[in-house]
Amino acid sequence: DSGVTQTPKHLITATGQRVTLRCSPRSGDLSVYWYQQSLDQGLQFLIQYYNGEERAKGNILERFSAQQFPDLHSELNLSSLELGDSALYFCASSGDVGGTEGTGELFFGEGSRLTVL
Amino acid sequence: AQKITQTQPGMFVQEKEAVTLDCTYDTSDPSYGLFWYKQPSSGEMIFLIYQGSYDQQNATEGRYSLNFQKARKSANLVISASQLGDSAMYFCAMREPYNTDKLIFGTGTRLQVFP
């Protein structure tokens, strides 16, 4: 158990709809990262938050948005869903930015599998 | 731009044999970290091993070792004494060292261990 909790684990919805994925990081971790893994693909970095502030942005579509709340949990909002948005969405967390703690390893949740029909 | 390349889409190995999964990287930063993660069919991402760019010795964790060749910019994962449970996707990743700590992942190698 990585200590990172993601809900829901599975989600099936229709094109054009909006969904929210939720992530609770490990206790004490300030950084939250969101990744997208499409079928048989590697992990694509979407966005990172650190202590409530956006820290880095990757290939995140304008239809997608995220935020990190004061209690450090994060939500990824996906709107106007398309078939191609079907993927496994991972949340990961880590300690201080800059690799000052340990190896800078990311701890991953089990993922939220989104299916858009 | 930083980049991770895994050129082996799939690998087969017989149980109890050793296998090497290739990973090359490209970065202009002098300080970086290299990671390997395992993703079984259940989907979770499991951290295996880490190598820092300034580490003098190759990292080892049980049956996993990282063959780090800095001049060649390669960080191959060696799994010794393969087990059926090692069948999974394996991802090489690199950490951007400054300001973000995000990991950049390769496309992965699917390893299948047969009896």
Side-chain angles (χ1 to χ4, degrees), chain A residues 33 35 37 40-43 45 48 55-56 88 90 96-99 103-108 110, chain B residues 35 37 39 42-45 47 50 91 95 97-108 110:
Chain A
Y33 309 76
Y35 285 85
Q37 184 181 31
D40 289 335
Q41 297 291 313
L43 280 76
F45 170 71
Q48 177 200 4
R55 178 70 70 165
L88 186 56
F90 282 107
D96 286 350
V97 167
T103 68
E105 163 195 353
L106 298 192
F107 296 87
F108 283 83
E110 294 184 346
Chain B
F35 300 78
Y37 280 82
Q39 186 180 37
S42 50
E44 71 269 29
M45 294 290 289
F47 167 72
Y50 165 82
F91 292 98
R95 184 184 74 221
Y98 301 116
N99 199 41
T100 73
D101 263 357
K102 72 173 191 270
L103 298 188
I104 302 167
F105 285 83
T107 52
R110 183 174 297 281

Side-chain angles (χ1 to χ4, degrees), chain B residues 51-76:
Chain B
Q51 180 84 43
S53 59
Y54 292 120
D55 292 343
Q56 295 296 312
Q57 294 190 331
N58 288 343
T60 60
E61 288 287 348
R63 294 186 299 109
Y64 303 108
S65 60
L66 201 152
N67 184 1
F68 181 46
Q69 298 189 37
K70 197 169 183 177
R72 294 186 178 184
K73 293 190 175 178
S74 74
N76 299 338

Side-chain angles (χ1 to χ4, degrees), chain A residues 40-60:
Chain A
D40 289 335
Q41 297 291 313
L43 280 76
Q44 299 296 319
F45 170 71
L46 295 179
I47 198 164
Q48 177 200 4
Y49 280 83
Y50 177 78
N51 202 21
E53 299 287 330
E54 182 183 303
R55 178 70 70 165
K57 212 167 192 178
N59 300 322
I60 187 167

